[in-house]
């Protein structure tokens, strides 16, 4: 494996400056242009938009094995950390060595991606027989018939069973995101690299810091923008639509891994 530093860093910076001066123009979608191997070998780019690695013996268009992809990702991260010794990079959690989830949605990873949320006593009380009525959600609903206000029924008339169903549905959604995050094929990747290889168990994704300006993109980004950036570059796949179930599930998984962390949008 040969480390390559792409000339795209300077071009990306220059492009970002130019875009900053064009208030009315839509920002250009950037891409990490990795160097070309003189031997025709596969070159994998890191999500910093600069660091690249040439994989000896694997030609462009060929797919790595998962073991090879793990070694490539590890080498890329090792080089990045050497170049950025003061980076705010958290150590990977010990659970990162656990096997990836199965490819079957009905058989999630063991242990689960995140612990189930403990059930609290129902705050909605007992359902009123005969259907939802103003009295089952809020006594003042009748007085507010013409007001554009939530009448309280949605969260004022639910049972402990309802809460259990909601919690289970959310947990299943997070587990699906866990599965996609660890599966290069589900991500649409073409080189066998998956998100977990650089971000074991979603470490160092810091969803609580979005939205924020991302130098690689040359603009303010949401978490989903950076997910797509990584899918397009290290993973070598096609970006997902905002409403794609896989994108939504991955966002849920990444946020779930940072449960309890204070929001700090804009933090680098």
């Amino acid at each position: 494996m040969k480390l390559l530093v792409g000339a795209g860093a300077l071009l990306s910076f220059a492009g970002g400056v130019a875009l900053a001066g064009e208030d009315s123009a839509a920002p250009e979608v950037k891409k990490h242009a990795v160097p070309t191997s003189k031997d025709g070998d596969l070159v994998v780019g890191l999500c910093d938009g600069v660091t690249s690695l040439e994989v000896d013996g694997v030609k462009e268009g060929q797919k790595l094995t998962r073991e090879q992809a793990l070694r490539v990702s590890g080498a890329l991260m090792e080089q990045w950390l050497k170049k950025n010794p003061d980076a705010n990079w958290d150590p990977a959690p010990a659970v990162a060595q656990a096997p990836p989830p199965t490819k079957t949605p009905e058989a999630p990873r063991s242990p689960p991606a995140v612990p189930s949320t403990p059930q609290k006593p129902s705050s909605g009380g007992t359902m009123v027989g005969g259907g939802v009525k103003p009295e089952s959600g809020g006594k003042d609903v009748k007085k507010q018939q013409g007001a554009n206000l939530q009448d309280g029924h949605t969260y004022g008339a639910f049972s402990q069973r309802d809460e259990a169903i909601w919690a289970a549905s959310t947990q299943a959604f997070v587990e699906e995101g866990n599965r996609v995050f660890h599966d290069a094929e589900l991500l649409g990747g073409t080189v066998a690299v998956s998100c977990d290889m650089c971000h074991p168990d979603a470490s160092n994704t810091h969803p609580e810091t979005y939205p924020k300006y991302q130098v690689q993109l040359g603009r303010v980004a949401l978490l989903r923008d950076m997910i797509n950036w990584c899918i397009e570059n290290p993973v070598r796949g096609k970006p997902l639509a905002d409403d794609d179930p896989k994108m939504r599930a991955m966002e849920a998984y990444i946020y779930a891994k940072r449960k309890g962390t204070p929001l700090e949008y804009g933090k680098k």
Side-chain angles (χ1 to χ4, degrees), residues 148-192:
N148 185 23
L149 299 172
Q150 182 174 317
D151 61 18
H153 292 171
T154 302
Y155 298 108
F158 58 86
S159 65
Q160 290 185 6
R161 178 178 179 276
D162 293 327
E163 288 191 17
I165 291 172
W166 298 341
S169 298
T170 303
Q171 186 75 15
F173 196 48
V174 168
E175 289 296 345
E176 176 62 9
N178 173 44
R179 194 169 69 95
V180 176
F181 194 86
H182 286 76
D183 194 317
E185 291 185 10
L186 284 175
L187 288 164
T190 57
V191 293

Side-chain angles (χ1 to χ4, degrees), residues 196-227:
D196 64 294
M197 293 182 180
C198 294
H199 301 276
D201 287 306
S203 61
N204 291 293
T205 48
H206 298 296
E208 71 280 359
T209 63
Y210 289 91
K212 65 182 176 184
Y213 191 90
Q214 284 288 5
V215 176
Q216 303 100 308
L217 278 66
R219 60 183 173 88
V220 174
L222 301 176
L223 174 61
R224 63 191 61 178
D225 297 323
M226 280 309 298
I227 292 174

Side-chain angles (χ1 to χ4, degrees), residues 229-240:
W229 169 265
C230 292
I231 288 175
E232 288 186 90
N233 293 286
V235 174
R236 294 274 201 100
K238 294 181 179 179
L240 301 175

Side-chain angles (χ1 to χ4, degrees), residues 29-239:
V29 177
K30 295 189 175 185
K31 190 171 183 179
H32 181 182
V34 297
T36 302
S37 166
K38 61 181 177 60
D39 298 321
D41 288 334
L42 175 68
V43 180
V44 180
L46 196 61
C47 58
D48 65 345
V50 178
T51 309
S52 300
L53 193 72
E54 181 178 337
V55 187
D56 291 331
V58 179
K59 299 304 178 184
E60 184 66 41
Q62 293 180 335
K63 186 179 292 187
L64 302 168
T65 65
R66 179 170 175 85
E67 289 71 24
Q68 287 175 318
L70 282 166
R71 287 198 298 271
V72 168
S73 301
L76 283 166
M77 286 306 308
E78 182 179 352
Q79 292 296 331
W80 184 87
L81 288 169
K82 284 181 180 178
K83 293 188 297 181
N84 300 273
D86 299 323
N88 181 25
W89 196 258
D90 300 330
V95 73
Q97 300 304 317
T102 68
K103 294 182 180 294
T104 307
E106 293 77 16
R109 177 180 182 171
S110 181
V114 293
S116 300
T117 301
Q119 286 297 297
K120 61 181 180 180
S122 175
S123 57
T126 304
M127 289 288 288
V128 176
V132 176
K133 302 177 182 178
E135 288 75 17
S136 66
K139 295 181 179 179
D140 295 329
V141 173
K142 289 182 178 179
K143 301 177 183 178
Q144 303 290 339
Q145 290 286 335
N148 185 23
L149 299 172
Q150 182 174 317
D151 61 18
H153 292 171
T154 302
Y155 298 108
F158 58 86
S159 65
Q160 290 185 6
R161 178 178 179 276
D162 293 327
E163 288 191 17
I165 291 172
W166 298 341
S169 298
T170 303
Q171 186 75 15
F173 196 48
V174 168
E175 289 296 345
E176 176 62 9
N178 173 44
R179 194 169 69 95
V180 176
F181 194 86
H182 286 76
D183 194 317
E185 291 185 10
L186 284 175
L187 288 164
T190 57
V191 293
V193 173
S194 52
C195 299
D196 64 294
M197 293 182 180
C198 294
H199 301 276
D201 287 306
S203 61
N204 291 293
T205 48
H206 298 296
E208 71 280 359
T209 63
Y210 289 91
K212 65 182 176 184
Y213 191 90
Q214 284 288 5
V215 176
Q216 303 100 308
L217 278 66
R219 60 183 173 88
V220 174
L222 301 176
L223 174 61
R224 63 191 61 178
D225 297 323
M226 280 309 298
I227 292 174
N228 266 337
W229 169 265
C230 292
I231 288 175
E232 288 186 90
N233 293 286
V235 174
R236 294 274 201 100
K238 294 181 179 179

